[in-house]
Amino acid sequence: KDCPSGRLNKKKFIEVYKQFYPTGKAEKFCEYVFRTFDTDGSGNIDFGEFLIAISITAQQDPRKKLEWAFSMYDIDRNGYIEKKEMKKIMDAIYDLLGEEKKGSNSPEIKVDQIFSKMDVNSDQKLSKDEFVTGCLQDDYLRKLLAPSAS
């Protein structure tokens, strides 16, 4: 009824997603989730993309969920997560959850802490392997960066 064409556009996706987080600001976070689901970049999530997204997020395998989370954080899709990308996502997560962004809880400080733990080769970017391995080895990071993989 809501999607007679079988496609879900970004506006409708955000509208639906906001119902799960009525007290938070969901728009920014939804943009990143939507982009990750919209694998062909059409501006719509079709039924096939939706089924793939549901399949990945419903999986029991934490590695698969973390690989999906990596693709959400890798905004420019260059195969790495840079600090600026992670800060954008962290900012959106804080808005979504209504988190305080001051002091030691600021997104910038959290991103620096994350990189100090995960960036094994100190190249100022996280490969998929560094991200997945880092999350699998650290419960706190996994819960923070990919709560569905816990």
Side-chain angles (χ1 to χ4, degrees):
K1 178 180 161 187
D2 285 333
C3 302
S5 68
R7 292 177 167 16
L8 185 62
N9 66 26
K10 191 185 306 182
K11 182 180 178 198
K12 188 65 181 173
F13 179 81
I14 291 171
E15 197 178 295
V16 171
Y17 206 95
K18 284 170 85 171
Q19 293 174 15
F20 295 100
Y21 295 93
T23 59
K25 297 177 189 166
E27 290 83 0
K28 281 195 284 184
F29 186 73
C30 286
E31 298 248 346
Y32 299 120
V33 174
F34 184 88
R35 182 192 55 79
T36 308
F37 284 175
D38 180 19
T39 55
D40 65 2
S42 68
N44 293 292
I45 299 173
D46 64 32
F47 192 64
E49 289 168 325
F50 179 75
L51 286 178
I52 290 168
I54 295 300
S55 166
I56 291 169
T57 55
Q59 287 229 6
Q60 298 300 314
D61 182 358
R63 183 170 288 278
K64 294 267 189 238
K65 289 181 181 182
L66 290 167
E67 287 173 356
W68 179 85
F70 177 87
S71 66
M72 182 175 71
Y73 282 86
D74 181 16
I75 296 169
D76 64 10
R77 296 184 175 167
N78 70 350
Y80 295 96
I81 301 170
E82 287 91 14
K83 283 186 175 184
K84 66 179 190 257
E85 290 173 312
M86 184 165 285
K87 189 206 170 286
K88 285 179 183 178
I89 302 280
M90 291 297 293
D91 221 30
I93 290 171
Y94 277 44
D95 285 350
L96 181 70
L97 301 176
E99 286 281 326
E100 186 71 33
K101 296 181 184 182
K102 296 178 184 166
S104 64
N105 200 41
S106 76
E108 293 85 2
I109 289 175
K110 288 292 182 208
V111 168
D112 285 341
Q113 292 170 346
I114 291 164
F115 268 72
S116 73
K117 287 185 177 183
M118 288 186 161
D119 187 14
V120 180
N121 62 2
S122 301
D123 63 356
Q124 298 300 305
K125 58 188 177 184
L126 301 177
S127 67
K128 186 186 289 187
D129 188 55
E130 284 174 319
F131 179 83
V132 171
T133 301
C135 285
L136 288 173
Q137 292 174 349
D138 189 309
D139 285 342
Y140 171 75
L141 290 178
R142 186 170 57 253
K143 287 177 184 156
L144 177 68
L145 300 173
S148 70
S150 296

